[in-house]
C-alpha cells in the first residue's frame, strides 16, 4: 500500500485511539519485521477472543508476524476458530461462506493483478483444517491446479473447534470426537502430499513449537507465490479445549508431534528454488 | 449420409477385433462358426472397425 | 392484418436444420422483414431428432419457442415421417389451413389414408424431392442438403430475396463466429474443408438452391 | 376434507392439465375405490371396470415390471389371474418391461413406456387400458399423459394406495380382487350374450 | 441399548404411555431417532444443528442406528443420504442456514427422486453478514423444492414431527422428503418439558418394496432402471413426461394432507377462531404469540391464534376461511422478508387486512410486547 | 441379485419385446463372461445416442463387459455424455446431480451393506472427467479418504463434451477449447497420483485401445474395492466431436497421444491389494 | 481488440448514440453487452443453455476486451471467485443456469450482504429432478429473498439493455448491490432476432471502487483493518441489532434502486392499454406470449391490457396497485410449476381474488397464446356464473 494511507489526517491525529496511534508509529508496515522482532513492534493483530492456550491463535499470530509485506497483504479466511483472531488484524481480511476461501482468493488475486499490474499484492489464505481439507478441498486443490499465485496456510487443530469439537478429515485415526463416536475411521488427509501433486511450487509442514521455522516457511511461501506458483504451509496448532489437554501444554503437544507424525518437512520445485536463490542474492 | 459397415465374409477370419473396437453395443456379433454379423440399423458408420480390421474385411458404405 | 409465416423444420441432428433456419431468418432480416429464429435441441447428438423454427412477418413478432401451428413444414429426412423422428406426432400436427409441406424424399412420402384425408381437409400442399441428391449433384456434398431444402422453399414460396439469401450465406460462412452447439461448429470446419474458398462455397450453395427450386415436385393430395 | 367436484374423465384434457390430486381428488381408504374422481365401494368399481372393458372397441392390458418378471412369490399366480382376465374379456396385452425413456426408438406396436404412453395408445388406437404391476410413480406419470393427450379410458389396479389420475382405480389389489373382476366380466358377458 | 420391540405407528404415537422429560430440542431429536428405527444417519457440523447430530452419533455407538458417519460438506451429506435412501434404507440427517443453502441443489432432487428422507433444519441466519443466530429466512428458499415442510413450535413438536415425518414420508402415495424445521437456539437449545414414548418401542422398519419407485439394489425389478432418467429431449413428448413428473410431486404433497391430519391433528391448530383479530404464525413465533394473546386478554382484547404446522402442503383453504371472518390478521415472523405473510396473503381474498408484523431478525427474540402493540393497533383501527 | 428373479413371468413370455427376451436368453448374469465373449451374448448396454466413433461409448461398453458380477452391481453416474447412455443399461444405475456421484455411492454402498450383509454388492462409479476431476473432485477424494468400498472409473475425454466442448481440468495444457480461448493454462490433473496419495488401494490408467488389459484393470479395481479399499481407474476415451478428428481415427488418436507422451497406461497397487489380488488370481487358476 | 473503444457517459452510450440493427441470439447479445460494459474480469463454468454466452465472453477476453477470464471448478467456486474479484475493486461478470444457480445458492445472499455490485446473468432452466435443460424459471422463485436485485428480460433486446443498465444501477453508491439479469433459457438465449445496438467503439466508464459504500479490498484504501464481512454473531443484543440493521440496509439499498430503475429502464413495469378491465400480467418470455394473446383478444373485441413486470426485486408494488386499480381480472401466465409471480402479485394487490394464477407451463414447453386466451375466457365465465 501507499504508506500515505497510514498517515492520520493531521487535524484528527490526536483523536485516534491509542491502539491506532501505536499501529501508525510502530506497526510492521514501514520496515521488515519478523518472528524474531516480536515484542518490539505493534502487532497487526490487536487482540482475540480465543481460548487460553489456543494453538490456532498462536499460529495465526506467528503467521501475521512472518508476512514479508504486511502493507500489501490481503488475507482470506473462512468461518472457524481462525477467523476470530483474523477479524482483528490490521489488514484487509475477508471471509464469506465456509470453505470457499481459495476460490475467493483466486478472484481477488487476479483482480489485484489487473488493478495493480506493477505491484505485489500478496493474497494469503489462512484457514483451519475443516475449511481446507474437508468442505473446501475442491476449491483448494483447483486453485493449485490452476497455478494461482496465492499462498494457502492451514492452521491444523485436527478438529472442528468452533462448532463444538467434531472430527475433521485432519483428525488422527482412532480419535473419538463428536460425530466420530466410535473413533475416526480413516487416517489424516495427506494435504501436504497432495499439495505437491497438485502443483504447489513450495510446501512446508511445521508446528507452533517451531516459530522460526514458521517464519521462514511463511516468508518463502509468500515470495514463491508472487512469481512462481501456488504454495502451501501446514501448521500444527493443537486445540486444548477440544482435545482436552491443559492450556499450558499446547507447545509441548506440538513438540511431541514434531518428534513423531508431524515432523518438519519442506518441498520446493526447481523453479522456485532458482527464484529464491535469485531473490536472496538480490537482497 | 447414413451409412453402415459391411463385412466381406471371404476376407474375415473371425478375430473379433472389430467387436472390441465398436463404440456401439449389440451391433457386431459373432456366431459359433465365427461368422461376423452386423446390425445395419444400429451401425452409425464411424469406421473404427474398418481401421481396426487386420484383414481389410470391413467397409463402410 | 398480420401475414406471419411460421415455419417448422424437422430433421436429424447434423443435417443443418439450425443453420438453414438461421440463414433464412437472417435473409428475411436483410430484406427488412421481421423475423425470429429459434432452434430447439436437447442433450441429443448426431442423428437424433432436431428441430428449428423460423417466423417471418411484416409486423412485430413476440412469441417464441416451438412453432405449434406452422404454415410451412420442412422435412429434412424421410425418417421424420417413417420413423416418427420428430417432435410432434404426426409430423404435420398443427399445420394451418393452406399449409405447405416440403419433404426431402426421393419418393412420395409414405402417408396413410387418414393422414392424407386430414391434409386434404386443410387444403395443404405437399412437395417432395431428393434434396440430398441435388446437393450431391450440384454442390458436390450431401452437407448442402439444407441449402437444397431452402431452395425448394423459395421455389414454392418466395419468402425472401435471393440477394439477401446470398448475403446471409456470406455472413454465415464467411468467417466470424457463428454460435451453435459444439457439434455444429465441428461440422462447419468439415464443410469449409471441402471448398478452397469461401466464395466458392457461397456460389455452390446458391446454385444448389436454384437447382432445388426447379427440382421440387408437387404431390397432389 | 374438501369436497372436490373435479371429475376424472376421458381425455384429451389438453395441454398440461393439473394432477387430479391437485384438484382435490383424494385416494380411497381400504375397501374403497375411485371411479372418475369419486370414492365408491370396491364392488361398485369392479362392476364398472367389467362394464367398461366389455364396452370397449379395442381394450388393452398393460402389465408392468412388477408382474412381467417372475421375481418374487405370488407374482406368477397374479400374472395368471391377469392373463385369464385378458382372455375372458378379449383384451390384448402390451408390456411395460421397464421405465427408461425410449423415444424415439420405441416400437409402439409391442411395448408401452411410462414417459410416452400416448405413442402406444395412438399407434394401436386403444380406447381402454388397464395398468397393473407398475410402480406407483411411473403409473401416475403415465396416467396423466394419457388423460392429457388421448381419449383412452384408463384403469389402474394398484397394490398400494391407488391412483387419482386413472378413471377407475382399485387399491390393495391382490388375487381376490382380480378374481372378482374376472367373475364380473364373466357375468356381464353372460348377460350380454343373452 | 435397550431391547426394542416393533410396534405400529398408532401404538407408538397414541397408545403408549409417555414419559415427561426436561430436555433440549437437540435431545428431543435424539429421542425421536431412537424410536424411529433409523438405519443410517450422516452428519456435518454447523451451529446450532451440531448437538443433535452428536447425540444421534451417540445412539449409533449404542446400537440404535446401524450406520453413521460425518460427510465432507452439506452438499455431499445430502447426496450421500440420497444414495442411501435409494438403496432402500431409512435415513436421517440435519443441517441449518448456510448448510441448507450449500446443499440446496439436492432438495428438489430428493423430491424428484421420490426419496422419503427426513431432514431436520435448525434454521439460522444466512450470510452475509455471518451469524449463527435464529432466523427462518432459509424456509422461504425451500418453499418450491417439492419437499414437505413442517415447522415445530417447541421441543415437543420437534420430537413428534421428526418421528411422525418418517411415517408420512414413507406412505407409498406420498413418498417424498419431509423437512422438519425448528428455529435454531429457540428450540434446539431450549430445555423444556417433552413427553417421550417408551424407549423400548420403535417404528416398523422401512419397506422399500412398497415404494412408488424401485429400490436400487439389483434385487428389485426392473433391472434396467435409472434413477432418475433424462426425460430431457427437446420434444413435446419428453416435455409432457417432465411436466407430468413435476405434477406428480405436487400431487404427492396433496396426498400427504390426510396423513398430516391423522398423525399431527391437522395442518393447523386454531384457538378462539371467532375473534376479530387473528394471529397466524409458525414455529417459535407461535409461542411468542401465545404470550402476547395472554397479555392482550388481560387488556380485554380477544385474539385468536392459528398455528401453522405444515407449510408444504399449505393449509390454503383453511386460512382463507378463517381470515374471511377476521377483521385483521397479524403475522409475526422471524425473518426480514415476511415469507409467511406472502403465503397467507396469497391464500386470503382481502389482503388489506393482513398485517405483516412484527418481523424480527438478526438473532433477537420477539418480545410479546411487540405483538401486543400490533394487536392494539388493529383493535383501535 | 438372486438369478432366479431374472426371468419373465411364464404367462407373459410371448408378449415381451425381443430385446428383453434376448436379454433373458443370452444374458451375462452369473456366467463369468467378459470382453473376449463380446459379440456372442446380449450386452447390458442396449444402445446409446452418443456420436459415431465416441471413445467414451466404447469404454463404457468394455467396462460393462468387464464387471465381475454384473448381477450384483449398482452403478452411479453423473451428468455428461455418459449419462445419455445410462438409461439403456440393464443394471440399476443412478444419476443424481453433476459431481456428487461419489457421495451418492458412499451412502448407497453403506446402505447396501446394511441390507445385504451376506452378499457382495459392487458399487461402481462411472463418470466423466469434468464430474470426477473438477466439480466433483472434493467428493471423489473424500470417498477415498474415508476408505469407502467403491470403485471410481473416470471416462476421460479431456473436455466437457455434453455442454459443447469446454476445457476441463483433464484437458492437456495449451489446448484451445471453449472457455479456454487462449489455450488451457495448466497441465492435466494427475488424478492417478492423487488417487494413490488419497488412499486408493488400486489405481490404473488405460484406454479402450487395449480392451483385454482394460478388462483386467476394471476387474482388479472392483475386486480390490470389495475387501481392501477404494479403487480408481482412469480410461482415456477421446472425443472425435470436440477434438475434431474423424470418428474412425479414435483408436489411432490414442496411440498418437501415447507416442507423444501425454497418455500412459499405468497401475499402482498397494501391498495389501497386491496380496489380496494375488490370492484371488491364484485361486482362479486353481479352479 | 477489434477496435479502440472510448469510455463515455452512460447516457451517451445508452440513449444518445445512434443504434444499428443486428440479427443475433440472446447469447450473442450478452457478448455485445459485455463488450460495451468495460468489464475487467469474467469467470465461467459450463452449463446449458448458458455456456454459449460465456464462450463468447471468452472470445472477448482473447481479443483484449477483458483483462482476465478463466473456467473455474464448479458454480459455487465461480460465484465465490467472482466475489473475490469484486472485493478487489473491479467490474466483473458471470452467468449460470438452473442447477448451477442452486449449486451456488449460498453465495447470492453473501454478495448482497457484502454490498458487491456483481452482475450475473441467469439463463433459467428446469432444476433437477428429473434433469431438464429446458426453459423454466422456478429458480427465480428461490432467489427472491437473497437481497439481489432481479431484472427479468423479455427478449434479446431487453437482455442486451438490462445487462448494461444493470452495471449502472448495481454500482450506484446508494445501491451497490448485485443484480441478476434473468432470461428464460433457449427462448431468449437461443432465439435470433433483431436487436438495436449502439456503436461498439463506445464503452461504459470504468467502475470506481472509491465510490463504494464499503471499502475496497486492496490495502490502498483506509481503514486497513477491515473485515469483509464482520462476524456479527456474538450472542448479545448489540450484535443482534447490528446484524438486523445490516439486513435492513440491504433492503433499503434495493428500495433506493427504484429511482435508478425508473431512470434507466423507464420504470419497473410497462403497461399496454392501461384502461383495460382485464390484464395479462407477466415477466420474461411469458410477456411475449401474452402479447400474441393480446393481439387476438383485442381483435375479438375484449377489453384487455398487458402488464410487463421488468423488475422483480425491487417489486413494483405501488405501480402494480395503481395499474390494476380498475381491473376486474388479472391473468398471470408463468413458466414454472410453483407460480411465484402470481404469488407476488396476489400478495401485493387487495381483492386478490381477481388474480388467476395461471396458465403455468413447465417441463420445457412454450405457452401457446391459445392457452392464455382460454384461461381468460374460463375466468370470465366463472365470474359471470358468480354474478
Amino acid at each position: 500500500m501507499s504508506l500515505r494511507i497510514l498517515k492520520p489526517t493531521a487535524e484528527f491525529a490526536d483523536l485516534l485511539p491509542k491502539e491506532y496511534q501505536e499501529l501508525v508509529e510502530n506497526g510492521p508496515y514501514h520496515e521488515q519485521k519478523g518472528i524474531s522482532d516480536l515484542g518490539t513492534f505493534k502487532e497487526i493483530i490487536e487482540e482475540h477472543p480465543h481460548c487460553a492456550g489456543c494453538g490456532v491463535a498462536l499460529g495465526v499470530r506467528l503467521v501475521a508476524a512472518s508476512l514479508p509485506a504486511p502493507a500489501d497483504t490481503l488475507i482470506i479466511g473462512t468461518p472457524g476458530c481462525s477467523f476470530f483472531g483474523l477479524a482483528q488484524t490490521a489488514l484487509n481480511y475477508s471471509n464469506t461462506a465456509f470453505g470457499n476461501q481459495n476460490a475467493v482468493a483466486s478472484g481477488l488475486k487476479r483482480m489485484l493483478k489487473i488493478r495493480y499490474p506493477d505491484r505485489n499484492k500478496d493474497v494469503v489464505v489462512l484457514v483451519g483444517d475443516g475449511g481446507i481439507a474437508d468442505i473446501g478441498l475442491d476449491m483448494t486443490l483447483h486453485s493449485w491446479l490452476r497455478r494461482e499465485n496465492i499462498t494457502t496456510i492451514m492452521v491444523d487443530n485436527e478438529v472442528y473447534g468452533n462448532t463444538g469439537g467434531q472430527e475433521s478429515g485432519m483428525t488422527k485415526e482412532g480419535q473419538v470426537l463428536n460425530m466420530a463416536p466410535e473413533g475416526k475411521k480413516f487416517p489424516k488427509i495427506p494435504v501436504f502430499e497432495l499439495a505437491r501433486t497438485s502443483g504447489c511450487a513450495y510446501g512446508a509442514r511445521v508446528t507452533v513449537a517451531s516459530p522460526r521455522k514458521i517464519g521462514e516457511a511463511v516468508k518463502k511461501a509468500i515470495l514463491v507465490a508472487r512469481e512462481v506458483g501456488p504454495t502451501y504451509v501446514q501448521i500444527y496448532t493443537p486445540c486444548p479445549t477440544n482435545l482436552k489437554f491443559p492450556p499450558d501444554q499446547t507447545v509441548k503437544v506440538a513438540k511431541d508431534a514434531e518428534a513423531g507424525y508431524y515432523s518438519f518437512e519442506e518441498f520446493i520445485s526447481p523453479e522456485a528454488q532458482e527464484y529464491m536463490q535469485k531473490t536472496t542474492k538480490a537482497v | 449420409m447414413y451409412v453402415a459397415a459391411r463385412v466381406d465374409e471371404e476376407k474375415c477370419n473371425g478375430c473379433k477385433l472389430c467387436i472390441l473396437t465398436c463404440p456401439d453395443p449389440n451391433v457386431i456379433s459373432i456366431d459359433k462358426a465365427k461368422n461376423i454379423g452386423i446390425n445395419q440399423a444400429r451401425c452409425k458408420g464411424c469406421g473404427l472397425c474398418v481401421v481396426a480390421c487386420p484383414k481389410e474385411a470391413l467397409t463402410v458404405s | 392484418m398480420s401475414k406471419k409465416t411460421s415455419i417448422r423444420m424437422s430433421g436429424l441432428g447434423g443435417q443443418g436444420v439450425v443453420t438453414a433456419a438461421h440463414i433464412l431468418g437472417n435473409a428475411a432480416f436483410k430484406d427488412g422483414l421481421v423475423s425470429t429464429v429459434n432452434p430447439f435441441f436437447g442433450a441429443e447428438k448426431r442423428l437424433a431428432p432436431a428441430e428449428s423454427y423460423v417466423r417471418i412477418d411484416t409486423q412485430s413478432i413476440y412469441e417464441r419457442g416451438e412453432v405449434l401451428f406452422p404454415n410451412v413444414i420442412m422435412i429434412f429426412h424421410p425418417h421424420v415421417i417413417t420413423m416418427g423422428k420428430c417432435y410432434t406426432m404426426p409430423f404435420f400436427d398443427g399445420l394451418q389451413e393452406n399449409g405447405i409441406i416440403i419433404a426431402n424424399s426421393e419418393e412420395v412420402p409414405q402417408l396413410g389414408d387418414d393422414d392424407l384425408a386430414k391434409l386434404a381437409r386443410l387444403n395443404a400442399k405437399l412437395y417432395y424431392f431428393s434434396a440430398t441428391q441435388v446437393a450431391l449433384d450440384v454442390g458436390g456434398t450431401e452437407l448442402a442438403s439444407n441449402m437444397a431444402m431452402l431452395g425448394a422453399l423459395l421455389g414454392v414460396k418466395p419468402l425472401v430475396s435471393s440477394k439477401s439469401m446470398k448475403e446471409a450465406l456470406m455472413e454465415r460462412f464467411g468467417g466470424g463466429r457463428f454460435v451453435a452447439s459444439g457439434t455444429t461448429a465441428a461440422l462447419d470446419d468439415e464443410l469449409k474443408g471441402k471448398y478452397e474458398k469461401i466464395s466458392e462455397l457461397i456460389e455452390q450453395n446458391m446454385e444448389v438452391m436454384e437447382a432445388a427450386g426447379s427440382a421440387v415436385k408437387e404431390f397432389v393430395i | 376434507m374438501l369436497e372436490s367436484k373435479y371429475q376424472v374423465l376421458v381425455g384429451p384434457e389438453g395441454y398440461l392439465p393439473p394432477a387430479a390430486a391437485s384438484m382435490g381428488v383424494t385416494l380411497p381408504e381400504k375397501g374403497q375405490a375411485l371411479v372418475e374422481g369419486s370414492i365408491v365401494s370396491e364392488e361398485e368399481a369392479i362392476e364398472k371396470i367389467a362394464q367398461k372393458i366389455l364396452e370397449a372397441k379395442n381394450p388393452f392390458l398393460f402389465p408392468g415390471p412388477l408382474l412381467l418378471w417372475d421375481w418374487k412369490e405370488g407374482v406368477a399366480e397374479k400374472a395368471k389371474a391377469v392373463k385369464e382376465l385378458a382372455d375372458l374379456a378379449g383384451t390384448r396385452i402390451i408390456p411395460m418391461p421397464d421405465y427408461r425413456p425410449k423415444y424415439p426408438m420405441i416400437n409402439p406396436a409391442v411395448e408401452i413406456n411410462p414417459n410416452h404412453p400416448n405413442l402406444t395408445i395412438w399407434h394401436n388406437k386403444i380406447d381402454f387400458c388397464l395398468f397393473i404391476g407398475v410402480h406407483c410413480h411411473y403409473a401416475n406419470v403415465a396416467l396423466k399423459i394419457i388423460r392429457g393427450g388421448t381419449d383412452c379410458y384408463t384403469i389402474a389396479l394398484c397394490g398400494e394406495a391407488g391412483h387419482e389420475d386413472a378413471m377407475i382405480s382399485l387399491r390393495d389389489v391382490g388375487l381376490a380382487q382380480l378374481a372378482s373382476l374376472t367373475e364380473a366380466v364373466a357375468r356381464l358377458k353372460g348377460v350380454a350374450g343373452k | 441399548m435397550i431391547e426394542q420391540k416393533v410396534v405400529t405407528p398408532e401404538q407408538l404415537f397414541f397408545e403408549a404411555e409417555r414419559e415427561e422429560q426436561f430436555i433440549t430440542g437437540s435431545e428431543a431429536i435424539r429421542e425421536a431417532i431412537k424410536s424411529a428405527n433409523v438405519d443410517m444417519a450422516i452428519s456435518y457440523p454447523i451451529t446450532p444443528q451440531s448437538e443433535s447430530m452428536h447425540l444421534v452419533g451417540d445412539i449409533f455407538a449404542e446400537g440404535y442406528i446401524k450406520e453413521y458417519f460425518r460427510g465432507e460438506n452439506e452438499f455431499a451429506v445430502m447426496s450421500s443420504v440420497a444414495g442411501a435412501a435409494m438403496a432402500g434404507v431409512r435415513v436421517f440427517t440435519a443441517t441449518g442456514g448456510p448448510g441448507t443453502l450449500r446443499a440446496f441443489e439436492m432438495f428438489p432432487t430428493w423430491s424428484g427422486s421420490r426419496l422419503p428422507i427426513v431432514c431436520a433444519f435448525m434454521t439460522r441466519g444466512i450470510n452475509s453478514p455471518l451469524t449463527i443466530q435464529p432466523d427462518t429466512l432459509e424456509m422461504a428458499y425451500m418453499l418450491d423444492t417439492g419437499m414437505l415442510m413442517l415447522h415445530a413450535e417447541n421441543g415437543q413438536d420437534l420430537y413428534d414431527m421428526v418421528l411422525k415425518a418418517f411415517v408420512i414420508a414413507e406412505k407409498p402415495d406420498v413418498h417424498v422428503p419431509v423437512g422438519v424445521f425448528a428455529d435454531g437456539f429457540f428450540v434446539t437449545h431450549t430445555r423444556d418439558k417433552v413427553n417421550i414414548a417408551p424407549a423400548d418401542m420403535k417404528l416398523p422398519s422401512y419397506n422399500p418394496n412398497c415404494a412408488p419407485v424401485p429400490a436400487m439394489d439389483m434385487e428389485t425389478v426392473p433391472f434396467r432402471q435409472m434413477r432418475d432418467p433424462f426425460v430431457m429431449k427437446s420434444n413435446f413428448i419428453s416435455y409432457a413426461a417432465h411436466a407430468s413428473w413435476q405434477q406428480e410431486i405436487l400431487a404427492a404433497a396433496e396426498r400427504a394432507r390426510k396423513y398430516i391430519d391423522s398423525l399431527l391433528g391437522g395442518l393447523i391448530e386454531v384457538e378462539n377462531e371467532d375473534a376479530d383479530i387473528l394471529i397466524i404464525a409458525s414455529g417459535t413465533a407461535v409461542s411468542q404469540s401465545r404470550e402476547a394473546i395472554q397479555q392482550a386478554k388481560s387488556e380485554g382484547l380477544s385474539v385468536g391464534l392459528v398455528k401453522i404446522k405444515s407449510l408444504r402442503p399449505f393449509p390454503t383453504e383453511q386460512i382463507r376461511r378463517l381470515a374471511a371472518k377476521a377483521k385483521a390478521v397479524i403475522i409475526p415472523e422471524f425473518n426480514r422478508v415476511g415469507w409467511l405473510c406472502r403465503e397467507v396473503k396469497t391464500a386470503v381474498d382481502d389482503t388489506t387486512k393482513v398485517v405483516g408484523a412484527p418481523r424480527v431478525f438478526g438473532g433477537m427474540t420477539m418480545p410479546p410486547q411487540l405483538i401486543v402493540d400490533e394487536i392494539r393497533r388493529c383493535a383501535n383501527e | 441379485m438372486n438369478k432366479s428373479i431374472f426371468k419373465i413371468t411364464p404367462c407373459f413370455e410371448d408378449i415381451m419385446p425381443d430385446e428383453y427376451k434376448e436379454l433373458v436368453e443370452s444374458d451375462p448374469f452369473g456366467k463369468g463372461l467378459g470382453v473376449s465373449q463380446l459379440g456372442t451374448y446380449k450386452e447390458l448396454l442396449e444402445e446409446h445416442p452418443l456420436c459415431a466413433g465416441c471413445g467414451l461409448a466404447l469404454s463404457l461398453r468394455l467396462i460393462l463387459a468387464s464387471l465381475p458380477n454384473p448381477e450384483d452391481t449398482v452403478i452411479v453416474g453423473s451428468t455428461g455424455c455418459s449419462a445419455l447412455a445410462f438409461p439403456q443399461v440393464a443394471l440399476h444405475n443412478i444419476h443424481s446431480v453433476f459431481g456428487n456421484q461419489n457421495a451418492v455411492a458412499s451412502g448407497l454402498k453403506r446402505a447396501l451393506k446394511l441390507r445385504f450383509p451376506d452378499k457382495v454388492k459392487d458399487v461402481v462409479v462411472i463418470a466423466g472427467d469434468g464430474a470426477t476431476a473438477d466439480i466433483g473432485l472434493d467428493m471423489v477424494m473424500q470417498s477415498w479418504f474415508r476408505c469407502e468400498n467403491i470403485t471410481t472409473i473416470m471416462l476421460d475425454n479431456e473436455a466437457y463434451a455434453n455442454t459443447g466442448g469446454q476445457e476441463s481440468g483433464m484437458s492437456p495444457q495449451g489446448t484451445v477449447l471453449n472457455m479456454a480461448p487462449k489455450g488451457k493454462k495448466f497441465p492435466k490433473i494427475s488424478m492417478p497420483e492423487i488417487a494413490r496419495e488419497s488412499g486408493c488401494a488400486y489405481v490404473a490408467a488405460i484406454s479402450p485401445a487395449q480392451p483385454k488389459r482394460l478388462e483386467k484393470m476394471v476387474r482388479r479395481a472392483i475386486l480390490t474395492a470389495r475387501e481392501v479399499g477404494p479403487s480408481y481407474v482412469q480410461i482415456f476415451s477421446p472425443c472425435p466431436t470436440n477434438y475434431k478428428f474423424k470418428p474412425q481415427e479414435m483408436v489411432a488418436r490414442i496411440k498418437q497421444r501415447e507416442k507423444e507422451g501425454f497418455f500412459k497406461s499405468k497401475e499402482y497397487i498397494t501391498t495389501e491389494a497386491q496380496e489380496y489380488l494375488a490370492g484371488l488370481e491364484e485361486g482362479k487358476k486353481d479352479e | 481488440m477489434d477496435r479502440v473503444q472510448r469510455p463515455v457517459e452512460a447516457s451517451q452510450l445508452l440513449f444518445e448514440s445512434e443504434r444499428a440493427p443486428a440479427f443475433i441470439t440472446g447469447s450473442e447479445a450478452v457478448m455485445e453487452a459485455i463488450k460495451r460494459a468495460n468489464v475487467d474480469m469474467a469467470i465461467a463454468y459450463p452449463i446449458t443453455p448458458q455456456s454459449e454466452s460465456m464462450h463468447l465472453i471468452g472470445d472477448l477476453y482473447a481479443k483484449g476486451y477483458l483483462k482476465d477470464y478463466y473456467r473455474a471448478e464448479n458454480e459455487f467456486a465461480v460465484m465465490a471467485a467472482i466475489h473475490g474479484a469484486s472485493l478487489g475493486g473491479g467490474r466483473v461478470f458471470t452467468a449460470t443456469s438452473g442447477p448451477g444457480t442452486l449449486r451456488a445458492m449460498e453465495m447470492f445472499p453473501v454478495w448482497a450482504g457484502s454490498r458487491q455490485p456483481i452482475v450475473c446473468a441467469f439463463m433459467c432452466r428446469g432444476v433437477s429432478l428429473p434433469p431438464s435443460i429446458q426453459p423454466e424459471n422456478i429458480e427465480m422463485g428461490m432467489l427472491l429473498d437473497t437481497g439481489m436485485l432481479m431484472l427479468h428480460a423479455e427478449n434479446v433486446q431487453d437482455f442486451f439493455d438490462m445487462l448494461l443498465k444493470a452495471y449502472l444501477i448495481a454500482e450506484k453508491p446508494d445501491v451497490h448491490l448485485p443484480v441478476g439479469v434473468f432470461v428464460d433459457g433457449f427462448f431468449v438465449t437461443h432465439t435470433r432476432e433483431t436487436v438495436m445496438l449502439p456503436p461498439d467503439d463506445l464503452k461504459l466508464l470504468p467502475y470506481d471502487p472509491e465510490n463504494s459504500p464499503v471499502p475496497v479490498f486492496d490495502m490502498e484504501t483506509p481503514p486497513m483493518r477491515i473485515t469483509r464481512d464482520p462476524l456479527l454473531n456474538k450472542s448479545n443484543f448489540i450484535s443482534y441489532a447490528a446484524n438486523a440493521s445490516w439486513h435492513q440496509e440491504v433492503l433499503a439499498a434495493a428500495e433506493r434502486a427504484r429511482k435508478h430503475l425508473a431512470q434507466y429502464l423507464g420504470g419497473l413495469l410497462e403497461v399496454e392499454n392501461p384502461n383495460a378491465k382485464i390484464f395479462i400480467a407477466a415477466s420474461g418470455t411469458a410477456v411475449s406470449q401474452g402479447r400474441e394473446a393480446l393481439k387476438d383478444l383485442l381483435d375479438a373485441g375484449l377489453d384487455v391490457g398487458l402488464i410487463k413486470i421488468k423488475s422483480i426485486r425491487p417489486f413494483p408494488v405501488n405501480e402494480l396497485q395503481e395499474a390494476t386499480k380498475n381491473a376486474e381480472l388479472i391473468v398471470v401466465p408463468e413458466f414454472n410449476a410453483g407460480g411465484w409471480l402470481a404469488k407476488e402479485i396476489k400478495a401485493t394487490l387487495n381483492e386478490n381474488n381477481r388474480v388467476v394464477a395461471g396458465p403455468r407451463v413447465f417441463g420445457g414447453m412454450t405457452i401457446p397464446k391459445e392457452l392464455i386466451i382460454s384461461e381468460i375466457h374460463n375466468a370470465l365465465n366463472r365470474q359471470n356464473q358468480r354474478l
Side-chain angles (χ1 to χ4, degrees), chain G residues 100-112:
Chain G
T101 305
L102 269 54
R103 184 72 56 97
M105 189 55 111
E106 195 184 352
M107 286 311 294
F108 303 121
V110 169
W111 289 354

Side-chain angles (χ1 to χ4, degrees), chain G residues 168-184:
Chain G
L168 302 169
I169 297 160
E171 292 168 6
K172 295 283 175 206
D174 52 334
V175 177
H176 223 268
L177 282 179
V179 181
V181 180
F182 295 76
V183 292
D184 298 293

Side-chain angles (χ1 to χ4, degrees), chain E residues 8-163:
Chain E
T8 66
E10 288 68 27
Q11 281 174 306
L12 186 66
F13 301 151
F14 305 120
E15 292 159 23
E17 200 167 315
R18 292 194 168 201
E19 182 202 342
E20 193 172 86
Q21 293 187 12
F22 189 60
I23 54 176
T24 65
S26 306
E27 287 168 318
I29 294 253
R30 176 193 60 202
E31 295 306 318
I33 300 304
K34 246 187 202 172
S35 299
N37 202 356
V38 163
D39 294 294
M40 191 164 164
I42 309 177
S43 59
Y44 190 77
I46 189 163
T47 308
Q49 166 271 143
S50 302
E51 276 84 1
S52 62
M53 289 308 286
H54 296 174
L55 295 168
V56 170
D58 290 349
I59 59 173
F60 157 69
E62 288 168 23
Y64 287 94
I65 299 175
K66 302 190 194 81
E67 180 64 297
Y68 170 95
F69 69 100
R70 174 192 57 77
E72 59 269 41
N73 59 52
E74 289 89 354
F75 175 60
V77 167
M78 301 310 161
S79 302
S80 295
V81 165
M86 284 183 204
V89 299
R90 184 176 289 156
V91 291
F92 178 72
T93 188
T95 189
T100 306
L101 267 53
R102 183 68 57 94
F104 199 80
E105 192 185 358
M106 287 311 293
F107 302 123
T109 303
W110 284 359
S111 346
S113 297
R114 303 297 296 265
L115 301 174
I117 295 164
V118 173
C119 179
F121 295 87
M122 319 319 203
T123 62
R124 66 174 250 196
I126 49 184
N127 305 358
S128 225
L130 183 62
T131 172
I132 58 169
Q133 304 298 346
D135 193 314
T136 61
L137 184 54
E138 66 196 273
M139 294 180 72
Y141 294 56
M142 302 284 291
L143 292 168
D144 287 327
T145 53
M147 288 180 77
L148 305 187
M149 296 170 69
L150 305 176
H151 200 176
E153 181 189 346
N154 48 32
Q156 183 69 56
D157 263 5
L158 187 55
Y159 171 81
D160 285 321
M161 284 178 175
V162 165
L163 198 47

Side-chain angles (χ1 to χ4, degrees), chain F residues 202-250:
Chain F
Y202 179 88
V203 176
I206 184 67
S207 83
Q210 292 171 278
K212 301 244 169 84
R213 191 164 153 78
L214 183 149
E215 175 184 38
K216 191 174 175 185
M217 287 173 158
V218 168
R219 277 175 194 254
R220 285 181 156 193
I222 294 173
L223 294 173
T224 301
R226 283 185 191 164
E227 294 289 333
V228 189
S231 55
Y232 175 66
V233 184
Q234 178 170 317
I235 305 182
F236 178 43
S237 311
C239 170
T241 305
N242 286 299
Y243 275 83
K244 299 184 179 160
F245 56 84
K246 293 200 172 65
Q248 68 264 34
E249 290 166 2
M250 192 261 291

Side-chain angles (χ1 to χ4, degrees), chain A residues 1 91 94 96 119 121, chain G residues 83 88 218-220 224 228:
Chain A
M1 73 193 183
L91 292 177
S94 173
T96 62
R119 301 266 297 277
K121 291 274 175 193
Chain G
H83 169 94
D218 58 5
M219 286 303 278
E220 302 288 339
M224 48 246 114
R228 293 278 299 264

Side-chain angles (χ1 to χ4, degrees), chain D residues 2 16-19 21-22 27-29 65-66 69 71 97-101 103 115-116 119 135-138 140-141 144-145 160-161 164, chain E residues 114 172-173 209-214 219-222 224-225 229-231 233 235 237 240-241 243-245 247-248 251 254-255 258 317:
Chain D
L2 304 166
L16 220 56
S22 299
L27 290 174
E29 297 300 324
L66 291 166
W69 302 98
W71 67 295
D98 59 39
Y99 308 133
R100 68 178 158 149
Y103 179 82
N115 304 293
H116 33 77
L119 298 180
H135 280 92
C136 294
H137 175 83
Y138 295 94
N140 283 336
V141 168
K144 267 223 52 214
I145 296 172
E160 302 293 339
E164 307 93 345
Chain E
R114 303 297 296 265
D173 49 333
N209 280 346
C210 288
V213 284
E219 302 287 343
T220 315
V221 291
R224 179 181 284 131
Q225 170 62 15
F230 275 27
V231 275
K233 297 229 162 103
N235 55 61
I237 288 167
S244 301
W245 190 301
Q247 286 171 324
E248 169 60 11
E254 290 301 316
R255 294 184 201 119
K258 71 172 174 194
E317 284 304 320

